[in-house]
PDB file of all heavy atoms in Angstrom:
ATOM      1  N   THR A  74      92.919  98.584 100.195  1.00  0.00           N
ATOM      2  CA  THR A  74      91.367  98.893 100.232  1.00  0.00           C
ATOM      3  C   THR A  74      91.101  99.166 101.775  1.00  0.00           C
ATOM      4  O   THR A  74      91.960  99.234 102.632  1.00  0.00           O
ATOM      5  CB  THR A  74      90.572  97.778  99.748  1.00  0.00           C
ATOM      6  OG1 THR A  74      90.632  96.636 100.618  1.00  0.00           O
ATOM      7  CG2 THR A  74      91.050  97.446  98.336  1.00  0.00           C
ATOM      8  N   SER A  75      89.828  99.208 101.996  1.00  0.00           N
ATOM      9  CA  SER A  75      89.288  99.350 103.416  1.00  0.00           C
ATOM     10  C   SER A  75      89.565  98.090 104.340  1.00  0.00           C
ATOM     11  O   SER A  75      89.635  98.213 105.461  1.00  0.00           O
ATOM     12  CB  SER A  75      87.848  99.643 103.484  1.00  0.00           C
ATOM     13  OG  SER A  75      87.014  98.699 102.799  1.00  0.00           O
ATOM     14  N   GLN A  76      89.886  97.054 103.616  1.00  0.00           N
ATOM     15  CA  GLN A  76      90.406  95.870 104.213  1.00  0.00           C
ATOM     16  C   GLN A  76      91.943  95.795 104.000  1.00  0.00           C
ATOM     17  O   GLN A  76      92.402  95.726 102.900  1.00  0.00           O
ATOM     18  CB  GLN A  76      89.769  94.549 103.718  1.00  0.00           C
ATOM     19  CG  GLN A  76      88.400  94.426 103.999  1.00  0.00           C
ATOM     20  CD  GLN A  76      88.049  93.884 105.406  1.00  0.00           C
ATOM     21  OE1 GLN A  76      88.916  93.921 106.295  1.00  0.00           O
ATOM     22  NE2 GLN A  76      86.909  93.331 105.716  1.00  0.00           N
ATOM     23  N   GLY A  77      92.663  95.903 105.101  1.00  0.00           N
ATOM     24  CA  GLY A  77      94.189  96.070 104.918  1.00  0.00           C
ATOM     25  C   GLY A  77      94.902  94.986 104.212  1.00  0.00           C
ATOM     26  O   GLY A  77      95.935  95.283 103.618  1.00  0.00           O
ATOM     27  N   HIS A  78      94.384  93.782 104.097  1.00  0.00           N
ATOM     28  CA  HIS A  78      95.101  92.766 103.368  1.00  0.00           C
ATOM     29  C   HIS A  78      94.549  92.557 101.894  1.00  0.00           C
ATOM     30  O   HIS A  78      94.968  91.652 101.176  1.00  0.00           O
ATOM     31  CB  HIS A  78      94.898  91.441 104.123  1.00  0.00           C
ATOM     32  CG  HIS A  78      93.489  90.900 104.132  1.00  0.00           C
ATOM     33  ND1 HIS A  78      92.547  91.505 105.055  1.00  0.00           N
ATOM     34  CD2 HIS A  78      92.767  90.016 103.472  1.00  0.00           C
ATOM     35  CE1 HIS A  78      91.308  90.923 104.928  1.00  0.00           C
ATOM     36  NE2 HIS A  78      91.497  90.051 103.965  1.00  0.00           N
ATOM     37  N   ILE A  79      93.598  93.394 101.517  1.00  0.00           N
ATOM     38  CA  ILE A  79      93.090  93.402 100.170  1.00  0.00           C
ATOM     39  C   ILE A  79      93.420  94.629  99.497  1.00  0.00           C
ATOM     40  O   ILE A  79      93.286  95.766  99.972  1.00  0.00           O
ATOM     41  CB  ILE A  79      91.591  93.257 100.145  1.00  0.00           C
ATOM     42  CG1 ILE A  79      91.049  91.962 100.771  1.00  0.00           C
ATOM     43  CG2 ILE A  79      90.955  93.303  98.743  1.00  0.00           C
ATOM     44  CD1 ILE A  79      89.540  91.728 101.009  1.00  0.00           C
ATOM     45  N   TYR A  80      93.975  94.539  98.304  1.00  0.00           N
ATOM     46  CA  TYR A  80      94.493  95.636  97.570  1.00  0.00           C
ATOM     47  C   TYR A  80      93.769  95.763  96.250  1.00  0.00           C
ATOM     48  O   TYR A  80      93.168  94.818  95.686  1.00  0.00           O
ATOM     49  CB  TYR A  80      95.937  95.513  97.318  1.00  0.00           C
ATOM     50  CG  TYR A  80      96.826  95.436  98.556  1.00  0.00           C
ATOM     51  CD1 TYR A  80      96.844  94.290  99.404  1.00  0.00           C
ATOM     52  CD2 TYR A  80      97.672  96.514  99.011  1.00  0.00           C
ATOM     53  CE1 TYR A  80      97.597  94.323 100.567  1.00  0.00           C
ATOM     54  CE2 TYR A  80      98.403  96.598 100.135  1.00  0.00           C
ATOM     55  CZ  TYR A  80      98.375  95.381 100.930  1.00  0.00           C
ATOM     56  OH  TYR A  80      99.178  95.351 102.092  1.00  0.00           O
ATOM     57  N   ALA A  81      93.933  96.898  95.444  1.00  0.00           N
ATOM     58  CA  ALA A  81      93.391  97.093  94.155  1.00  0.00           C
ATOM     59  C   ALA A  81      94.323  97.952  93.303  1.00  0.00           C
ATOM     60  O   ALA A  81      94.845  98.991  93.806  1.00  0.00           O
ATOM     61  CB  ALA A  81      91.997  97.658  94.142  1.00  0.00           C
ATOM     62  N   VAL A  82      94.522  97.529  92.053  1.00  0.00           N
ATOM     63  CA  VAL A  82      95.372  98.369  91.202  1.00  0.00           C
ATOM     64  C   VAL A  82      94.654  98.399  89.772  1.00  0.00           C
ATOM     65  O   VAL A  82      93.750  97.645  89.513  1.00  0.00           O
ATOM     66  CB  VAL A  82      96.737  97.674  90.950  1.00  0.00           C
ATOM     67  CG1 VAL A  82      97.519  97.637  92.201  1.00  0.00           C
ATOM     68  CG2 VAL A  82      96.578  96.380  90.209  1.00  0.00           C
ATOM     69  N   GLY A  83      95.001  99.420  89.058  1.00  0.00           N
ATOM     70  CA  GLY A  83      94.566  99.527  87.645  1.00  0.00           C
ATOM     71  C   GLY A  83      93.266 100.275  87.500  1.00  0.00           C
ATOM     72  O   GLY A  83      92.882 101.030  88.397  1.00  0.00           O
ATOM     73  N   ASP A  84      92.493 100.013  86.485  1.00  0.00           N
ATOM     74  CA  ASP A  84      91.292 100.806  86.213  1.00  0.00           C
ATOM     75  C   ASP A  84      90.154 100.579  87.099  1.00  0.00           C
ATOM     76  O   ASP A  84      89.206 101.241  87.098  1.00  0.00           O
ATOM     77  CB  ASP A  84      90.819 100.381  84.662  1.00  0.00           C
ATOM     78  CG  ASP A  84      91.769 100.870  83.654  1.00  0.00           C
ATOM     79  OD1 ASP A  84      92.840 101.448  83.896  1.00  0.00           O
ATOM     80  OD2 ASP A  84      91.436 100.706  82.447  1.00  0.00           O
ATOM     81  N   CYS A  85      90.166  99.615  88.070  1.00  0.00           N
ATOM     82  CA  CYS A  85      89.121  99.391  88.934  1.00  0.00           C
ATOM     83  C   CYS A  85      89.322 100.193  90.178  1.00  0.00           C
ATOM     84  O   CYS A  85      88.415 100.327  91.060  1.00  0.00           O
ATOM     85  CB  CYS A  85      88.949  97.863  89.313  1.00  0.00           C
ATOM     86  SG  CYS A  85      90.340  97.301  90.253  1.00  0.00           S
ATOM     87  N   ALA A  86      90.447 100.834  90.370  1.00  0.00           N
ATOM     88  CA  ALA A  86      90.824 101.621  91.504  1.00  0.00           C
ATOM     89  C   ALA A  86      90.675 103.073  91.246  1.00  0.00           C
ATOM     90  O   ALA A  86      90.672 103.537  90.052  1.00  0.00           O
ATOM     91  CB  ALA A  86      92.239 101.334  92.049  1.00  0.00           C
ATOM     92  N   ASN A  87      90.608 103.847  92.285  1.00  0.00           N
ATOM     93  CA  ASN A  87      90.282 105.323  92.131  1.00  0.00           C
ATOM     94  C   ASN A  87      91.535 106.155  91.945  1.00  0.00           C
ATOM     95  O   ASN A  87      91.819 107.174  92.632  1.00  0.00           O
ATOM     96  CB  ASN A  87      89.561 105.840  93.328  1.00  0.00           C
ATOM     97  CG  ASN A  87      90.285 105.710  94.631  1.00  0.00           C
ATOM     98  OD1 ASN A  87      91.113 104.888  94.736  1.00  0.00           O
ATOM     99  ND2 ASN A  87      89.931 106.488  95.648  1.00  0.00           N
ATOM    100  N   LYS A  88      92.362 105.741  90.966  1.00  0.00           N
ATOM    101  CA  LYS A  88      93.587 106.517  90.711  1.00  0.00           C
ATOM    102  C   LYS A  88      93.589 106.747  89.241  1.00  0.00           C
ATOM    103  O   LYS A  88      92.646 107.337  88.631  1.00  0.00           O
ATOM    104  CB  LYS A  88      94.844 105.601  91.040  1.00  0.00           C
ATOM    105  CG  LYS A  88      94.843 105.167  92.569  1.00  0.00           C
ATOM    106  CD  LYS A  88      95.217 106.497  93.445  1.00  0.00           C
ATOM    107  CE  LYS A  88      95.479 105.976  94.817  1.00  0.00           C
ATOM    108  NZ  LYS A  88      95.722 107.225  95.663  1.00  0.00           N
ATOM    109  N   LEU A  89      94.743 106.635  88.543  1.00  0.00           N
ATOM    110  CA  LEU A  89      94.876 107.135  87.213  1.00  0.00           C
ATOM    111  C   LEU A  89      94.874 105.866  86.176  1.00  0.00           C
ATOM    112  O   LEU A  89      95.709 104.938  86.362  1.00  0.00           O
ATOM    113  CB  LEU A  89      96.286 107.865  87.040  1.00  0.00           C
ATOM    114  CG  LEU A  89      96.678 108.385  85.687  1.00  0.00           C
ATOM    115  CD1 LEU A  89      95.646 109.464  85.274  1.00  0.00           C
ATOM    116  CD2 LEU A  89      98.070 109.071  85.741  1.00  0.00           C
ATOM    117  N   ASN A  90      93.977 105.948  85.273  1.00  0.00           N
ATOM    118  CA  ASN A  90      93.661 104.781  84.536  1.00  0.00           C
ATOM    119  C   ASN A  90      94.458 104.656  83.225  1.00  0.00           C
ATOM    120  O   ASN A  90      94.133 105.108  82.131  1.00  0.00           O
ATOM    121  CB  ASN A  90      92.188 104.691  84.137  1.00  0.00           C
ATOM    122  CG  ASN A  90      91.334 104.531  85.365  1.00  0.00           C
ATOM    123  OD1 ASN A  90      91.794 104.157  86.406  1.00  0.00           O
ATOM    124  ND2 ASN A  90      90.001 104.767  85.214  1.00  0.00           N
ATOM    125  N   LEU A  91      95.750 104.176  83.303  1.00  0.00           N
ATOM    126  CA  LEU A  91      96.627 104.065  82.200  1.00  0.00           C
ATOM    127  C   LEU A  91      97.328 102.713  82.324  1.00  0.00           C
ATOM    128  O   LEU A  91      97.726 102.312  83.521  1.00  0.00           O
ATOM    129  CB  LEU A  91      97.626 105.145  82.072  1.00  0.00           C
ATOM    130  CG  LEU A  91      97.135 106.624  81.759  1.00  0.00           C
ATOM    131  CD1 LEU A  91      98.162 107.590  81.910  1.00  0.00           C
ATOM    132  CD2 LEU A  91      96.550 106.603  80.265  1.00  0.00           C
ATOM    133  N   THR A  92      97.553 101.952  81.294  1.00  0.00           N
ATOM    134  CA  THR A  92      98.285 100.633  81.358  1.00  0.00           C
ATOM    135  C   THR A  92      99.570 100.731  82.148  1.00  0.00           C
ATOM    136  O   THR A  92      99.826  99.875  83.047  1.00  0.00           O
ATOM    137  CB  THR A  92      98.404  99.999  79.943  1.00  0.00           C
ATOM    138  OG1 THR A  92      97.064  99.760  79.510  1.00  0.00           O
ATOM    139  CG2 THR A  92      99.214  98.784  80.047  1.00  0.00           C
ATOM    140  N   PRO A  93     100.576 101.589  81.803  1.00  0.00           N
ATOM    141  CA  PRO A  93     101.778 101.753  82.450  1.00  0.00           C
ATOM    142  C   PRO A  93     101.596 102.045  83.946  1.00  0.00           C
ATOM    143  O   PRO A  93     102.405 101.569  84.757  1.00  0.00           O
ATOM    144  CB  PRO A  93     102.605 102.709  81.777  1.00  0.00           C
ATOM    145  CG  PRO A  93     101.908 102.845  80.457  1.00  0.00           C
ATOM    146  CD  PRO A  93     100.538 102.614  80.621  1.00  0.00           C
ATOM    147  N   VAL A  94     100.624 102.721  84.209  1.00  0.00           N
ATOM    148  CA  VAL A  94     100.303 103.061  85.681  1.00  0.00           C
ATOM    149  C   VAL A  94      99.923 101.791  86.435  1.00  0.00           C
ATOM    150  O   VAL A  94     100.387 101.575  87.540  1.00  0.00           O
ATOM    151  CB  VAL A  94      99.251 104.177  85.838  1.00  0.00           C
ATOM    152  CG1 VAL A  94      98.751 104.340  87.211  1.00  0.00           C
ATOM    153  CG2 VAL A  94      99.808 105.481  85.335  1.00  0.00           C
ATOM    154  N   ALA A  95      99.080 100.920  85.825  1.00  0.00           N
ATOM    155  CA  ALA A  95      98.672  99.688  86.475  1.00  0.00           C
ATOM    156  C   ALA A  95      99.750  98.824  86.747  1.00  0.00           C
ATOM    157  O   ALA A  95      99.850  98.188  87.709  1.00  0.00           O
ATOM    158  CB  ALA A  95      97.565  99.092  85.474  1.00  0.00           C
ATOM    159  N   ILE A  96     100.741  98.794  85.723  1.00  0.00           N
ATOM    160  CA  ILE A  96     101.805  97.955  85.823  1.00  0.00           C
ATOM    161  C   ILE A  96     102.741  98.393  87.052  1.00  0.00           C
ATOM    162  O   ILE A  96     103.144  97.520  87.889  1.00  0.00           O
ATOM    163  CB  ILE A  96     102.659  97.833  84.498  1.00  0.00           C
ATOM    164  CG1 ILE A  96     101.808  97.187  83.391  1.00  0.00           C
ATOM    165  CG2 ILE A  96     104.088  97.221  84.667  1.00  0.00           C
ATOM    166  CD1 ILE A  96     102.400  97.416  82.005  1.00  0.00           C
ATOM    167  N   ASN A  97     102.932  99.705  87.092  1.00  0.00           N
ATOM    168  CA  ASN A  97     103.834 100.179  88.088  1.00  0.00           C
ATOM    169  C   ASN A  97     103.154 100.114  89.521  1.00  0.00           C
ATOM    170  O   ASN A  97     103.815  99.750  90.496  1.00  0.00           O
ATOM    171  CB  ASN A  97     104.040 101.612  87.853  1.00  0.00           C
ATOM    172  CG  ASN A  97     105.338 102.162  88.593  1.00  0.00           C
ATOM    173  OD1 ASN A  97     106.071 101.297  89.181  1.00  0.00           O
ATOM    174  ND2 ASN A  97     105.619 103.460  88.523  1.00  0.00           N
ATOM    175  N   GLU A  98     101.862 100.218  89.516  1.00  0.00           N
ATOM    176  CA  GLU A  98     101.130  99.994  90.795  1.00  0.00           C
ATOM    177  C   GLU A  98     101.221  98.562  91.268  1.00  0.00           C
ATOM    178  O   GLU A  98     101.442  98.297  92.419  1.00  0.00           O
ATOM    179  CB  GLU A  98      99.564 100.332  90.655  1.00  0.00           C
ATOM    180  CG  GLU A  98      99.225 101.848  90.466  1.00  0.00           C
ATOM    181  CD  GLU A  98      97.837 101.973  90.102  1.00  0.00           C
ATOM    182  OE1 GLU A  98      97.121 101.141  89.656  1.00  0.00           O
ATOM    183  OE2 GLU A  98      97.341 103.194  90.354  1.00  0.00           O
ATOM    184  N   GLY A  99     101.076  97.708  90.296  1.00  0.00           N
ATOM    185  CA  GLY A  99     101.203  96.234  90.736  1.00  0.00           C
ATOM    186  C   GLY A  99     102.504  95.872  91.189  1.00  0.00           C
ATOM    187  O   GLY A  99     102.678  95.095  92.184  1.00  0.00           O
ATOM    188  N   ARG A 100     103.588  96.347  90.484  1.00  0.00           N
ATOM    189  CA  ARG A 100     104.964  96.093  90.993  1.00  0.00           C
ATOM    190  C   ARG A 100     105.411  96.678  92.276  1.00  0.00           C
ATOM    191  O   ARG A 100     106.005  96.128  93.133  1.00  0.00           O
ATOM    192  CB  ARG A 100     105.921  96.473  89.902  1.00  0.00           C
ATOM    193  CG  ARG A 100     105.892  95.628  88.658  1.00  0.00           C
ATOM    194  CD  ARG A 100     106.854  96.109  87.590  1.00  0.00           C
ATOM    195  NE  ARG A 100     106.719  95.238  86.373  1.00  0.00           N
ATOM    196  CZ  ARG A 100     107.150  95.560  85.187  1.00  0.00           C
ATOM    197  NH1 ARG A 100     107.623  96.771  84.945  1.00  0.00           N
ATOM    198  NH2 ARG A 100     107.059  94.680  84.192  1.00  0.00           N
ATOM    199  N   ALA A 101     104.792  97.955  92.449  1.00  0.00           N
ATOM    200  CA  ALA A 101     105.026  98.633  93.735  1.00  0.00           C
ATOM    201  C   ALA A 101     104.333  97.987  94.908  1.00  0.00           C
ATOM    202  O   ALA A 101     104.873  97.849  96.009  1.00  0.00           O
ATOM    203  CB  ALA A 101     104.460 100.125  93.668  1.00  0.00           C
ATOM    204  N   PHE A 102     103.117  97.423  94.657  1.00  0.00           N
ATOM    205  CA  PHE A 102     102.483  96.604  95.670  1.00  0.00           C
ATOM    206  C   PHE A 102     103.273  95.418  96.086  1.00  0.00           C
ATOM    207  O   PHE A 102     103.472  95.069  97.241  1.00  0.00           O
ATOM    208  CB  PHE A 102     101.111  96.167  95.078  1.00  0.00           C
ATOM    209  CG  PHE A 102     100.615  94.840  95.668  1.00  0.00           C
ATOM    210  CD1 PHE A 102     100.033  94.772  96.966  1.00  0.00           C
ATOM    211  CD2 PHE A 102     100.655  93.795  94.909  1.00  0.00           C
ATOM    212  CE1 PHE A 102      99.598  93.605  97.399  1.00  0.00           C
ATOM    213  CE2 PHE A 102     100.339  92.532  95.412  1.00  0.00           C
ATOM    214  CZ  PHE A 102      99.707  92.524  96.679  1.00  0.00           C
ATOM    215  N   ALA A 103     103.806  94.716  95.061  1.00  0.00           N
ATOM    216  CA  ALA A 103     104.525  93.415  95.263  1.00  0.00           C
ATOM    217  C   ALA A 103     105.909  93.833  96.002  1.00  0.00           C
ATOM    218  O   ALA A 103     106.292  93.036  96.935  1.00  0.00           O
ATOM    219  CB  ALA A 103     104.790  92.716  93.967  1.00  0.00           C
ATOM    220  N   ASP A 104     106.551  94.916  95.629  1.00  0.00           N
ATOM    221  CA  ASP A 104     107.773  95.326  96.125  1.00  0.00           C
ATOM    222  C   ASP A 104     107.602  95.634  97.674  1.00  0.00           C
ATOM    223  O   ASP A 104     108.402  95.214  98.626  1.00  0.00           O
ATOM    224  CB  ASP A 104     108.368  96.547  95.486  1.00  0.00           C
ATOM    225  CG  ASP A 104     108.920  96.285  94.160  1.00  0.00           C
ATOM    226  OD1 ASP A 104     109.174  95.061  93.782  1.00  0.00           O
ATOM    227  OD2 ASP A 104     109.085  97.184  93.362  1.00  0.00           O
ATOM    228  N   THR A 105     106.503  96.308  97.988  1.00  0.00           N
ATOM    229  CA  THR A 105     106.225  96.698  99.334  1.00  0.00           C
ATOM    230  C   THR A 105     105.776  95.542 100.253  1.00  0.00           C
ATOM    231  O   THR A 105     106.331  95.461 101.383  1.00  0.00           O
ATOM    232  CB  THR A 105     105.106  97.887  99.368  1.00  0.00           C
ATOM    233  OG1 THR A 105     105.550  98.920  98.579  1.00  0.00           O
ATOM    234  CG2 THR A 105     104.849  98.281 100.855  1.00  0.00           C
ATOM    235  N   VAL A 106     104.871  94.838  99.722  1.00  0.00           N
ATOM    236  CA  VAL A 106     104.252  93.748 100.567  1.00  0.00           C
ATOM    237  C   VAL A 106     105.159  92.435 100.639  1.00  0.00           C
ATOM    238  O   VAL A 106     105.163  91.792 101.642  1.00  0.00           O
ATOM    239  CB  VAL A 106     102.895  93.371 100.051  1.00  0.00           C
ATOM    240  CG1 VAL A 106     102.234  92.243 100.855  1.00  0.00           C
ATOM    241  CG2 VAL A 106     101.954  94.621 100.184  1.00  0.00           C
ATOM    242  N   PHE A 107     105.725  92.109  99.546  1.00  0.00           N
ATOM    243  CA  PHE A 107     106.464  90.901  99.459  1.00  0.00           C
ATOM    244  C   PHE A 107     108.102  91.064  99.399  1.00  0.00           C
ATOM    245  O   PHE A 107     108.751  90.062  99.665  1.00  0.00           O
ATOM    246  CB  PHE A 107     106.001  89.984  98.363  1.00  0.00           C
ATOM    247  CG  PHE A 107     104.532  89.535  98.514  1.00  0.00           C
ATOM    248  CD1 PHE A 107     103.592  90.116  97.782  1.00  0.00           C
ATOM    249  CD2 PHE A 107     104.262  88.513  99.339  1.00  0.00           C
ATOM    250  CE1 PHE A 107     102.279  89.798  97.969  1.00  0.00           C
ATOM    251  CE2 PHE A 107     102.936  88.143  99.536  1.00  0.00           C
ATOM    252  CZ  PHE A 107     102.017  88.769  98.860  1.00  0.00           C
ATOM    253  N   GLY A 108     108.426  92.253  99.028  1.00  0.00           N
ATOM    254  CA  GLY A 108     109.937  92.483  98.751  1.00  0.00           C
ATOM    255  C   GLY A 108     110.440  93.313  99.894  1.00  0.00           C
ATOM    256  O   GLY A 108     111.748  93.535  99.873  1.00  0.00           O
ATOM    257  N   GLY A 109     109.771  93.725 100.822  1.00  0.00           N
ATOM    258  CA  GLY A 109     110.386  94.519 102.008  1.00  0.00           C
ATOM    259  C   GLY A 109     110.788  95.857 101.575  1.00  0.00           C
ATOM    260  O   GLY A 109     111.629  96.490 102.291  1.00  0.00           O
ATOM    261  N   LYS A 110     110.278  96.461 100.434  1.00  0.00           N
ATOM    262  CA  LYS A 110     110.577  97.788 100.090  1.00  0.00           C
ATOM    263  C   LYS A 110     109.435  98.650 100.223  1.00  0.00           C
ATOM    264  O   LYS A 110     108.314  98.228  99.850  1.00  0.00           O
ATOM    265  CB  LYS A 110     111.098  97.820  98.628  1.00  0.00           C
ATOM    266  CG  LYS A 110     112.234  96.855  98.237  1.00  0.00           C
ATOM    267  CD  LYS A 110     112.471  96.743  96.800  1.00  0.00           C
ATOM    268  CE  LYS A 110     113.395  95.717  96.521  1.00  0.00           C
ATOM    269  NZ  LYS A 110     113.762  95.595  95.016  1.00  0.00           N
ATOM    270  N   ASP A 111     109.488  99.772 100.743  1.00  0.00           N
ATOM    271  CA  ASP A 111     108.428 100.738 100.928  1.00  0.00           C
ATOM    272  C   ASP A 111     108.327 101.641  99.575  1.00  0.00           C
ATOM    273  O   ASP A 111     109.114 102.601  99.489  1.00  0.00           O
ATOM    274  CB  ASP A 111     108.612 101.762 102.088  1.00  0.00           C
ATOM    275  CG  ASP A 111     107.424 102.464 102.429  1.00  0.00           C
ATOM    276  OD1 ASP A 111     106.592 102.748 101.636  1.00  0.00           O
ATOM    277  OD2 ASP A 111     107.227 102.874 103.596  1.00  0.00           O
ATOM    278  N   ARG A 112     107.539 101.225  98.670  1.00  0.00           N
ATOM    279  CA  ARG A 112     107.370 101.924  97.449  1.00  0.00           C
ATOM    280  C   ARG A 112     105.990 102.137  97.030  1.00  0.00           C
ATOM    281  O   ARG A 112     105.178 101.256  97.269  1.00  0.00           O
ATOM    282  CB  ARG A 112     108.098 101.086  96.298  1.00  0.00           C
ATOM    283  CG  ARG A 112     108.314 101.793  94.994  1.00  0.00           C
ATOM    284  CD  ARG A 112     109.256 101.029  94.124  1.00  0.00           C
ATOM    285  NE  ARG A 112     108.644 100.037  93.425  1.00  0.00           N
ATOM    286  CZ  ARG A 112     107.967 100.284  92.248  1.00  0.00           C
ATOM    287  NH1 ARG A 112     107.878 101.427  91.714  1.00  0.00           N
ATOM    288  NH2 ARG A 112     107.411  99.239  91.508  1.00  0.00           N
ATOM    289  N   VAL A 113     105.780 103.402  96.624  1.00  0.00           N
ATOM    290  CA  VAL A 113     104.473 103.730  96.085  1.00  0.00           C
ATOM    291  C   VAL A 113     104.427 104.313  94.710  1.00  0.00           C
ATOM    292  O   VAL A 113     105.567 104.760  94.230  1.00  0.00           O
ATOM    293  CB  VAL A 113     103.679 104.753  96.987  1.00  0.00           C
ATOM    294  CG1 VAL A 113     103.489 104.170  98.312  1.00  0.00           C
ATOM    295  CG2 VAL A 113     104.524 106.019  97.094  1.00  0.00           C
ATOM    296  N   MET A 114     103.373 104.340  93.997  1.00  0.00           N
ATOM    297  CA  MET A 114     103.217 104.924  92.712  1.00  0.00           C
ATOM    298  C   MET A 114     103.232 106.385  92.783  1.00  0.00           C
ATOM    299  O   MET A 114     102.403 106.870  93.594  1.00  0.00           O
ATOM    300  CB  MET A 114     102.020 104.305  91.909  1.00  0.00           C
ATOM    301  CG  MET A 114     101.651 105.052  90.698  1.00  0.00           C
ATOM    302  SD  MET A 114     102.889 104.710  89.245  1.00  0.00           S
ATOM    303  CE  MET A 114     102.425 106.110  88.279  1.00  0.00           C
ATOM    304  N   ILE A 115     103.999 107.080  92.134  1.00  0.00           N
ATOM    305  CA  ILE A 115     103.974 108.590  91.987  1.00  0.00           C
ATOM    306  C   ILE A 115     103.132 109.019  90.745  1.00  0.00           C
ATOM    307  O   ILE A 115     103.550 108.698  89.629  1.00  0.00           O
ATOM    308  CB  ILE A 115     105.372 109.198  91.979  1.00  0.00           C
ATOM    309  CG1 ILE A 115     106.217 108.711  93.183  1.00  0.00           C
ATOM    310  CG2 ILE A 115     105.170 110.777  91.959  1.00  0.00           C
ATOM    311  CD1 ILE A 115     105.733 109.006  94.478  1.00  0.00           C
ATOM    312  N   TYR A 116     102.114 109.701  90.999  1.00  0.00           N
ATOM    313  CA  TYR A 116     101.117 110.048  89.842  1.00  0.00           C
ATOM    314  C   TYR A 116     101.437 111.344  89.223  1.00  0.00           C
ATOM    315  O   TYR A 116     100.764 111.790  88.233  1.00  0.00           O
ATOM    316  CB  TYR A 116      99.684 110.019  90.393  1.00  0.00           C
ATOM    317  CG  TYR A 116      99.337 108.641  90.804  1.00  0.00           C
ATOM    318  CD1 TYR A 116      99.467 108.246  92.201  1.00  0.00           C
ATOM    319  CD2 TYR A 116      98.827 107.763  89.902  1.00  0.00           C
ATOM    320  CE1 TYR A 116      99.081 107.002  92.642  1.00  0.00           C
ATOM    321  CE2 TYR A 116      98.561 106.379  90.310  1.00  0.00           C
ATOM    322  CZ  TYR A 116      98.659 106.109  91.657  1.00  0.00           C
ATOM    323  OH  TYR A 116      98.308 104.803  92.091  1.00  0.00           O
ATOM    324  N   GLU A 117     102.508 112.044  89.722  1.00  0.00           N
ATOM    325  CA  GLU A 117     102.885 113.364  88.994  1.00  0.00           C
ATOM    326  C   GLU A 117     103.748 113.056  87.780  1.00  0.00           C
ATOM    327  O   GLU A 117     104.479 112.091  87.825  1.00  0.00           O
ATOM    328  CB  GLU A 117     103.566 114.255  90.010  1.00  0.00           C
ATOM    329  CG  GLU A 117     102.787 114.734  91.164  1.00  0.00           C
ATOM    330  CD  GLU A 117     103.567 115.642  92.147  1.00  0.00           C
ATOM    331  OE1 GLU A 117     104.802 115.681  91.919  1.00  0.00           O
ATOM    332  OE2 GLU A 117     102.993 116.200  92.951  1.00  0.00           O
ATOM    333  N   ASN A 118     103.597 113.886  86.779  1.00  0.00           N
ATOM    334  CA  ASN A 118     104.448 113.783  85.572  1.00  0.00           C
ATOM    335  C   ASN A 118     104.351 112.463  84.924  1.00  0.00           C
ATOM    336  O   ASN A 118     105.507 111.951  84.467  1.00  0.00           O
ATOM    337  CB  ASN A 118     105.901 114.148  85.987  1.00  0.00           C
ATOM    338  CG  ASN A 118     106.094 115.579  86.468  1.00  0.00           C
ATOM    339  OD1 ASN A 118     105.385 116.495  85.859  1.00  0.00           O
ATOM    340  ND2 ASN A 118     106.856 115.828  87.459  1.00  0.00           N
TER     341      ASN A 118
END
């Protein structure tokens, strides 16, 4: 979000509102912030 340490996923964020998308967003966030992996959700296809 506009606050770098606060994040948002799922239907409350301005992305794609689908359950599997929210799950992938959540895991990508955790992988990046806590797992040391640079991963983002890809919204194509």
Side-chain angles (χ1 to χ4, degrees):
T74 71
S75 53
Q76 292 279 19
H78 64 284
I79 301 177
Y80 298 74
V82 300
D84 290 3
C85 66
N87 60 339
K88 297 293 184 178
L89 186 59
N90 295 346
L91 292 169
T92 295
V94 169
I96 292 171
N97 202 6
E98 287 173 343
R100 289 176 179 162
F102 151 76
D104 289 342
T105 302
V106 176
F107 296 99
K110 305 172 186 177
D111 190 335
R112 191 165 84 81
V113 297
M114 169 70 198
I115 304 300
Y116 296 94
E117 293 179 351
N118 297 323

